[in-house]
Amino acid sequence: MTPVPTAIALLPGDGIGPEVVAAARTVLDATGVPLTFAEGEIGWECFEARGTALPDETIELVRSSDAALLGAVTSKPPDEVGPGRGAFRSPIVGLRRALDLHTCVRPVRALRAEDGELDLVVVRENTEGLYAGLDFRPTPDGLADALGLGPDLRGDDVAITARIVTRRAVRRVARAAFAIARTRPARRVTLAEKPNVMRATGGLFLEETRAVAAEHPDVEFAWENADAVCARMVREPARYDVLLAGNLFGDLLSDLAAGLAGGLGLLPSANLGDEAALFEPAHGSAPDIAGWGVANPLAAILAAAMLLDRIGEAAAAAAVRRAVDDVVADARTLTRDLGGRASTAQVARAVAAAVSVPENPETRERRVP
Ligand code: NAI
Ligand code: MG
């Protein structure tokens, strides 16, 4: 019986995005998992050519695929877009909203001995918090009136970003965190929040996470102040297993963890919804090195491994991670951010050559996303 191939959307984007997506594709091909690929346009070059960074057909492509792999996109602040061009909106934020990709998962693992013992997963709320887009400058009069803002807190010299937290969003991201903790030996979730300062939003986040913790008596739960987590992560990284956080804190904590674990070039990221899933390296488009063929593809390759897990190809996913570990440990074929001299394509070929999937199709099981 020939297995039905899984449909993968590839969104190379711009900058180093196309280079690292091509590298990930090389490795996916080496696993022998039956996949079909369709490419979609996204990002800055797409905006320049078509006036939108996220065409509707790209959203539809991701929606109708089993999973998507994104490279990177360049985001421009309004003053760099130029007049009369319309607003450049982050297409990644747009995709997260359009497809309700509510949970961001970033496993961070130190691959080199010199980077210590860090092995944690940041699970970040992906749709609200301070990144919900409730952003005002100046504050509209109605809102300023409702907030009771005096004249000194109005006008163009005052800006407000509002943080929104809903019980529903906390519940689903917390449930994802506890589900991930159950698959890990330490079975521990730590919430990074600031409930004593942001009593309303932080308080609700903590309250609902506690309720979810009560559903998971087999998983240890604790909460810590988000700032304290930063200091402890540097000094005592093994303290953390699954780290749950809101949108902003999760963004910062995952970059901090990545920095400790050898740099952004190694960190994959998943945006998970109930209907769709988008995998990407956590780094950006790296315009300073784009086109040179020297970008580290390992983050994109590890993102592809997460994609394989999502589509039920756990054995292939594990094989890709082992291959990455081997190439890093061997240290002969690394890009220059890791102290090597290899090109993006050389690293991809080295990982592809190291991939060895146990030949037992019976273990392949299609998981409902
Ligand atoms: P960046 O991650 O693109 O680059 C930061 C630094 O890390 C640069 O020195 C870069 O050369 C290096 N770097 C990043 N990825 C690397 C890799 N795979 N191999 C070797 N070195 C690597 O972040 P930056 O500079 O803040 O942003 C550049 C652009 O990317 C901006 O337009 C930003 O908006 C966008 N961006 C896009 C993201 C995405 O597509 N998800 C995420 C973050 C930023
Ligand atoms: Mg970030």
Side-chain angles (χ1 to χ4, degrees):
M1 203 181 74
T2 334
V4 182
T6 306
I8 306 299
L10 292 180
L11 312 180
D14 53 59
I16 61 170
E19 301 168 44
V20 298
V21 165
R25 168 90 196 258
T26 302
V27 175
L28 283 171
D29 287 342
T31 64
V33 171
L35 303 171
T36 58
F37 296 97
E39 277 201 21
E41 282 187 278
I42 192 168
W44 175 247
E45 282 165 23
C46 178
F47 178 78
E48 292 216 292
R50 306 183 45 181
T52 171
L54 180 61
D56 287 342
E57 70 260 24
T58 298
I59 298 176
E60 282 320 306
L61 174 67
V62 176
R63 201 194 301 278
S64 63
S65 302
D66 294 296
L69 182 66
L70 169 85
V73 296
T74 304
S75 288
K76 300 272 183 182
D79 57 315
E80 284 178 36
V81 173
R85 308 267 316 267
F88 179 87
R89 293 203 173 74
S90 162
I92 302 188
V93 173
L95 266 180
R96 283 177 191 153
R97 290 231 182 100
L99 302 171
D100 198 18
L101 302 172
H102 49 73
T103 297
C104 179
V105 179
R106 292 183 167 177
V108 191
R109 206 158 48 90
L111 299 183
R112 301 175 302 177
E114 69 254 43
D115 294 322
E117 267 181 67
L118 192 138
D119 179 0
L120 57 83
V121 182
V122 178
V123 180
R124 162 184 167 195
E125 201 290 315
N126 221 9
T127 60
E128 51 182 43
L130 271 167
Y131 294 178
L134 299 177
D135 218 31
F136 306 101
R137 183 180 166 195
T139 308
D141 285 336
L143 177 59
D145 292 345
L147 293 173
L149 302 183
D152 54 325
L153 289 178
R154 298 184 184 223
D156 196 50
D157 293 337
V158 180
I160 292 184
T161 301
R163 185 186 197 211
I164 181 163
V165 169
T166 65
R167 190 181 294 285
R168 171 171 175 266
V170 176
R171 187 178 308 151
R172 56 191 187 181
V173 73
R175 283 188 173 149
F178 280 85
I180 290 169
R182 274 187 171 156
T183 68
R184 295 170 56 88
R187 290 187 169 223
R188 193 163 65 239
V189 172
T190 308
L191 170 66
E193 247 306 329
K194 208 69 188 163
N196 303 337
V197 178
M198 293 183 283
R199 289 174 174 275
T201 51
L204 177 55
F205 212 117
L206 175 57
E207 177 186 306
E208 189 54 26
T209 304
R210 280 194 172 127
V212 172
E215 298 170 351
H216 300 78
D218 53 325
V219 176
E220 198 186 315
F221 171 66
W223 77 271
E224 297 181 5
N225 282 312
D227 48 348
V229 172
C230 297
R232 291 186 183 126
M233 193 192 292
V234 173
R235 303 197 62 93
E236 202 190 331
R239 179 185 184 94
Y240 300 110
D241 181 34
V242 174
L243 202 48
L244 170 64
N247 214 335
L248 170 68
F249 291 150
D251 195 9
L252 302 180
L253 287 168
S254 54
D255 274 31
L256 173 63
L260 291 170
L264 273 176
L266 291 172
L267 181 64
S269 177
N271 300 280
L272 307 178
D274 298 330
E275 318 265 291
L278 175 74
F279 299 83
E280 52 171 332
H283 59 70
S285 60
D288 51 338
I289 58 168
W292 291 80
V294 297
N296 185 349
L298 294 178
I301 290 169
L302 290 169
M306 294 183 83
L307 180 154
L308 289 167
D309 267 328
R310 167 86 173 194
I311 63 170
E313 297 287 350
V320 169
R321 286 192 195 98
R322 274 196 309 273
V324 169
D325 289 0
D326 289 349
V327 167
V328 172
D330 171 79
R332 274 178 305 176
T333 314
L334 295 175
T335 44
R336 54 184 202 176
D337 55 308
L338 295 180
R341 275 183 301 180
S343 69
T344 307
Q346 283 169 329
V347 173
R349 284 195 295 269
V351 175
V355 168
S356 142
V357 187
E359 226 6 276
N360 180 8
E362 262 64 41
T363 61
R364 288 204 181 132
E365 196 182 298
R366 189 81 196 215
R367 202 178 61 186
V368 182

